[in-house]
Amino acid sequence: KAGVTQTPRYLIKTRGQQVTLSCSPISGHRSVSWYQQTPGQGLQFLFEYFSETQRNKGNFPGRFSGRQFSNSRSEMNVSTLELGDSALYLCASSPPLRNTEAFFGQGTRLTVV
Amino acid sequence: AQSVTQPDIHITVSEGASLELRCNYSYGATPYLFWYVQSPGQGLQLLLKYFSGDTLVQGIKGFEAEFKRSQSSFNLRKPSVHWSDAAEYFCAGANDYKLSFGAGTTVTVRA
């Protein structure tokens, strides 16, 4: 079974630009969640989607948004990039059960310059 | 607030020695707890999980964890560490479709 696939693996963007990250979950998983990892703040939850509906959202500004498609693939978007948005963005997919384990992709390393 | 805490930022252990990583949780009646491992520049790999039942859970790579409700702890152990176990380890709890992670413990293995 293929794992969680995130594209691209690396990105370099300029302040003020926007970026879109993509995540393909494990086949059969309908829940997709996103996390931001930075050295200072650690791993922080961004949002979670199930069947194209956002069920939970972390404490991030509105510049961070996401969506899920009917095939469970998900994208997250960050608009008006700031230097502080430089981070490893991790996507995870889960089986359709509440509070079950999450399987993570390799992440997208975003650098904002 | 529901959370997990990892008191140790960094641990150094000799190859072949035992390892124990601490995790304390603050959750409700039925905590859903996990341990993940992350190698540099990589994603998180699930080592083991605890939902209910037997308080000693076995995971991959020879790891095990013990859930102790009386101490609000979910410590990770490995009897004999290999150099390939050098990585960062995260304890996490699940609630409302999200994971809350501890700050992580970096494990260094010396020869």
Side-chain angles (χ1 to χ4, degrees):
Chain A
K1 213 176 205 181
V4 177
T5 304
Q6 291 187 246
T7 56
R9 288 293 310 278
Y10 302 93
L11 268 177
I12 300 176
K13 290 287 188 178
T14 304
R15 272 182 301 175
Q17 288 186 313
Q18 73 159 11
V19 66
T20 299
L21 312 181
S22 180
C23 173
S24 294
I26 292 171
S27 178
H29 287 188
R30 292 163 60 192
S31 168
V32 174
S33 50
W34 290 88
Y35 294 82
Q36 181 196 64
Q37 185 177 27
T38 60
Q41 299 299 315
L43 282 154
Q44 293 186 286
F45 170 75
L46 281 157
F47 25 66
E48 188 266 358
Y49 289 89
F50 179 82
S51 293
E52 303 178 66
T53 299
Q54 186 182 88
R55 294 193 296 191
N56 201 350
K57 186 180 190 307
N59 189 25
F60 278 83
R63 301 185 297 107
F64 291 81
S65 63
R67 60 177 175 169
Q68 187 180 33
F69 301 96
S70 58
N71 61 358
S72 295
R73 192 177 67 84
S74 177
E75 289 181 346
M76 68 162 281
N77 183 277
V78 188
S79 62
T80 319
L81 284 165
E82 301 177 359
L83 295 179
D85 297 333
S86 295
L88 181 66
Y89 289 88
L90 293 164
C91 170
S93 74
S94 300
L97 295 169
R98 190 185 181 101
N99 295 331
T100 187
E101 66 266 39
F103 297 90
F104 285 81
Q106 298 281 65
T108 295
R109 171 71 65 184
L110 172 64
T111 301
V112 182
V113 297
Chain B
Q2 295 169 322
S3 63
V4 294
T5 305
Q6 294 178 250
D8 304 307
I9 295 172
H10 186 245
I11 285 180
T12 298
V13 60
S14 298
E15 193 169 13
S18 64
L19 174 68
E20 181 166 11
L21 303 181
R22 296 185 292 164
C23 173
N24 297 111
Y25 68 88
S26 173
Y27 272 84
T30 309
Y32 297 83
L33 300 169
F34 310 87
W35 275 99
Y36 286 87
V37 61
Q38 185 179 37
S39 298
Q42 300 298 311
L44 301 171
Q45 182 181 22
L46 178 67
L47 288 175
L48 47 79
K49 63 187 179 185
Y50 173 80
F51 290 169
S52 64
D54 197 349
T55 56
L56 186 63
V57 294
Q58 302 297 320
I60 62 171
K61 304 186 178 190
F63 284 94
E64 66 178 26
E66 186 170 12
F67 174 75
K68 292 185 177 180
R69 187 181 296 278
S70 61
Q71 298 178 18
S72 297
S73 68
F74 185 57
N75 294 348
L76 182 72
R77 299 194 294 248
K78 186 168 185 177
S80 178
V81 168
H82 187 261
W83 64 267
S84 60
D85 294 322
E88 191 163 16
Y89 293 79
F90 293 93
C91 181
N95 186 57
D96 283 341
Y97 312 111
K98 73 174 187 181
L99 293 174
S100 295
F101 289 88
T105 299
T106 299
V107 173
T108 298
V109 180
R110 59 181 174 219

